[in-house]
Amino acid sequence: MGILSAEGATTLNVPHPSQAPTLLGETFTTPWFAVDDERVKDFEKASYHDEYPHAYEGEDGYGEDLVEGFHLLSLLDVLCNHSLWSEGPWIAWNYGLDNVRFVSVIRTTDPFRIHGEVREVIDRGEQGHLVVTDLRAEVRGRERPGFVATQRALWSTV
């Protein structure tokens, strides 16, 4: 599946990474996205979840179509790059995640998108700017988000 629709998607960009501070307080929304079953299987294999000693099976299990939380987090890079970037020569180094909470289950049948707000832009001198965004995964048709997180990325020139 992957990208389903750009309906309602918004973007934030600047001509050069040095202009990252102008993004402070701005918001963006990624395109709608869904994870296909084959990608779930690939992630489980790559992360050794297919060898997990305590399977998510049985009456209390989450079912076969669960998209594992760390799989969802791994998608933030590609999803956010559709909506937040610099035009000029730059690279965004993953600086980590804070305050991650998995609020409600996301399944392969659940379209979702990310809403983000640039909460902070920290000048790191010659290194560039640390761009801090608060993220919320909206699941189509639900009030509660799938997950929330704060992402940190170091925007530096190449």
Side-chain angles (χ1 to χ4, degrees), residues 84-130:
L84 177 63
W85 73 89
S86 171
E87 308 266 343
W90 73 300
I91 190 163
W93 295 98
N94 180 356
Y95 218 72
L97 296 168
D98 297 326
N99 307 312
V100 175
R101 298 294 178 269
F102 300 108
V103 181
S104 64
V105 170
I106 295 180
R107 301 187 179 286
T108 57
T109 55
D110 293 326
F112 70 98
R113 64 183 176 180
I114 305 299
H115 293 275
E117 180 177 355
V118 179
R119 175 167 38 112
E120 192 174 9
V121 179
I122 303 166
D123 186 349
R124 299 297 301 260
E126 289 182 16
Q127 288 183 320
H129 290 88
L130 186 63

Side-chain angles (χ1 to χ4, degrees), residues 49-64 66:
H49 269 73
D50 61 337
E51 296 180 18
Y52 195 71
H54 310 288
Y56 299 128
E57 297 172 338
E59 253 178 53
D60 296 329
Y62 291 106
E64 290 295 315
L66 171 75

